[in-house]
Amino acid sequence: MADENDQLENIQNLFSSTEKLFLLGAGCSVCVGLPVMEKLTENVLGKATGKTCEILNAINDEVGGNIENILSQLNNYIAVASKRIAASTDIQINNFIFEKKELKAAVQEAKKLIATDIEAALKTPTHHLDFVKAVHRTQRPGRKTNAPLIYYFILNYDTLIEDALGSEGISYTDGMLGGATAYWTPNLFDKNYFQAKVLKLHGSLDWYRKPDTEDIRRLPKHMRTDEPQLIIAPAESKYAETQAHPYTTLMAQFRDVLTRSHKDTTLFIIGYGFGDAHINKHIEQALKFNEKLTVVVLAKAVPDDSPVANWQDDDDTNKRLIVLKDDESWKFENFTKLIGESE
């Protein structure tokens, strides 16, 4: 196994010499002060009111853990209530009785609280600006090149990458047509005049669904009323939610980009804990069948039961897999410095 310095040099070489894809998880937003899961759970439970407060705290008393565990159990209760044929769809949670409509409303309220908490924590994305500069600079200063298209697959709800791209004058699409207020236009992903394409695989802070329709909008704060928040909240039901509009389009794009490389391509995975089976399966398939793709994982650690550990042990997936761990380079800000030093 190559030592750490060799791995770092190899990663720099891949960054400089191959086409680039980035899968960015929640760890990439910690450097600007966004709350980690424990703090997010505390904030949501502390700010919930009325029936939502009662429901979330009743489930927390029952299953404990974090907001992901709580919302997973809440969705389980909704599923049970939805299957009942009887007139009553009431659900008992920890000696309290709630109506199905109250449970569904609690999910939407929790999503809003999560989005509000993240939005309130946003700061100037200094590291993201540096990251975008490093990714989109010409590889040889002073010489014009036909810059390859960069794909960003984002698992976070925040808009830090989009803000950085816009600030640096990089043309991109996230599937929305318009400005601060925009509407979902997925055929934008088929256009070839962008420098970057941003796929928000779990939705975005500023995405909303028009009530009682399939119409999806990007809305600034002053335009928001009662539209349902369009984010996939942390829960075991993530996969089921990705089977609905607009996530089917986004996941299909993700799968297709990973499997159709015509040139040597590297997928850099940063800040992701590999907790989403619907994401992991597409990475695994690409490792098995796309001989043009190398996957670089930057991780603080790789537990024995992690998908990454399984990929390392499998001859079908480990040939083009590089895992950098036990080093500060896994942090988003440090990876940004590393690629900034690439020639």
Side-chain angles (χ1 to χ4, degrees):
M1 181 177 178
D3 64 27
E4 190 174 290
N5 288 334
D6 288 342
Q7 280 189 312
L8 291 173
E9 184 176 351
N10 192 15
I11 290 170
Q12 287 180 311
N13 289 336
L14 288 168
F15 177 82
S16 298
S17 62
T18 66
E19 296 198 355
K20 294 174 278 293
L21 315 171
F22 296 95
L23 176 63
L24 306 180
C28 295
S29 300
V30 173
C31 58
V32 294
L34 267 64
V36 295
M37 186 67 75
E38 182 180 355
K39 184 63 177 176
L40 188 63
T41 302
E42 178 185 328
N43 291 347
V44 170
L45 292 178
K47 294 175 182 177
T49 60
K51 285 293 181 181
T52 297
C53 178
E54 294 177 24
I55 291 168
L56 295 182
N57 280 286
I59 295 176
N60 185 44
D61 290 341
E62 184 181 60
V63 301
N66 54 40
I67 192 64
E68 180 166 1
N69 298 335
I70 294 168
L71 289 178
S72 294
Q73 185 70 347
L74 176 52
N75 283 319
N76 289 339
Y77 280 129
I78 293 172
V80 169
S82 298
K83 291 177 182 177
R84 288 184 175 172
I85 301 175
S88 174
T89 56
D90 292 351
I91 291 289
Q92 180 174 326
I93 305 175
N94 203 21
N95 297 321
F96 297 94
I97 303 295
F98 300 103
E99 298 178 25
K100 183 175 77 170
K101 66 180 181 180
E102 293 173 334
L103 301 180
K104 296 179 78 171
V107 171
Q108 288 303 318
E109 183 61 26
K111 286 184 177 183
K112 287 185 178 181
L113 288 171
I114 290 169
T116 299
D117 205 52
I118 293 172
E119 205 165 29
L122 289 175
K123 300 175 184 176
T124 302
T126 303
H127 297 299
H128 292 72
L129 289 167
D130 291 340
F131 174 74
V132 163
K133 290 176 186 176
V135 171
H136 289 275
R137 74 176 188 271
T138 54
Q139 292 183 4
R140 292 195 174 111
R143 180 182 298 182
K144 291 185 178 180
T145 62
N146 293 321
L149 173 67
I150 305 294
Y151 278 90
Y152 296 95
F153 306 112
I154 312 294
L155 299 176
N156 308 328
Y157 315 131
D158 62 65
T159 60
L160 295 171
I161 287 294
E162 300 97 295
D163 295 340
L165 289 168
S167 179
E168 290 302 311
I170 306 298
S171 64
Y172 76 93
T173 184
D174 61 355
M176 292 288 182
L177 183 61
T181 301
Y183 60 95
W184 178 242
T185 312
N187 63 6
L188 288 172
F189 290 122
D190 299 327
K191 307 303 180 184
N192 59 10
Y193 46 72
F194 296 106
Q195 294 170 276
K197 294 182 180 179
V198 178
L199 281 75
K200 304 297 288 286
L201 299 178
H202 288 166
S204 189
L205 290 173
D206 51 5
W207 288 10
Y208 290 81
R209 191 189 305 278
K210 201 171 182 180
D212 302 318
T213 74
E214 290 295 308
D215 295 341
I216 297 164
R217 300 286 188 268
R218 175 167 58 228
L219 298 175
K221 286 183 179 181
H222 65 279
M223 293 288 288
R224 301 171 192 170
T225 53
D226 296 324
E227 290 86 355
Q229 185 91 44
L230 202 61
I231 62 174
I232 296 180
E236 290 179 0
S237 59
K238 282 180 181 178
Y239 174 77
E241 292 194 61
T242 62
Q243 305 310 296
H245 176 67
Y247 302 111
T248 48
T249 298
L250 293 166
M251 291 303 299
Q253 285 275 333
F254 177 57
R255 179 194 63 229
D256 291 347
V257 171
L258 289 188
T259 56
R260 72 181 183 204
S261 307
H262 300 296
K263 298 181 180 179
D264 290 336
T265 303
T266 303
L267 171 66
F268 296 92
I269 302 178
I270 315 159
Y272 173 48
F274 295 89
D276 298 330
H278 60 287
I279 300 293
N280 300 339
K281 73 172 184 177
H282 293 310
I283 299 171
E284 182 172 322
Q285 289 298 301
L287 279 168
K288 286 182 176 179
F289 301 113
N290 185 354
E291 295 183 355
K292 293 288 187 179
L293 182 72
T294 298
V295 175
V296 173
V297 176
L298 294 103
K300 185 177 183 179
V302 177
D304 291 340
D305 59 351
S306 164
V308 178
N310 294 333
W311 298 338
Q312 287 180 303
D313 292 337
D314 188 340
D315 289 341
D316 290 333
T317 52
N318 62 18
K319 296 181 181 67
R320 296 178 306 280
L321 175 66
I322 298 172
V323 180
L324 179 63
K325 60 179 181 178
D326 302 325
D327 177 78
E328 289 293 293
S329 295
W330 62 269
K331 293 182 179 178
F332 181 74
E333 58 271 35
N334 291 338
F335 177 73
T336 296
K337 292 178 183 177
L338 176 68
I339 61 175
E341 296 168 356
S342 302
E343 293 298 332

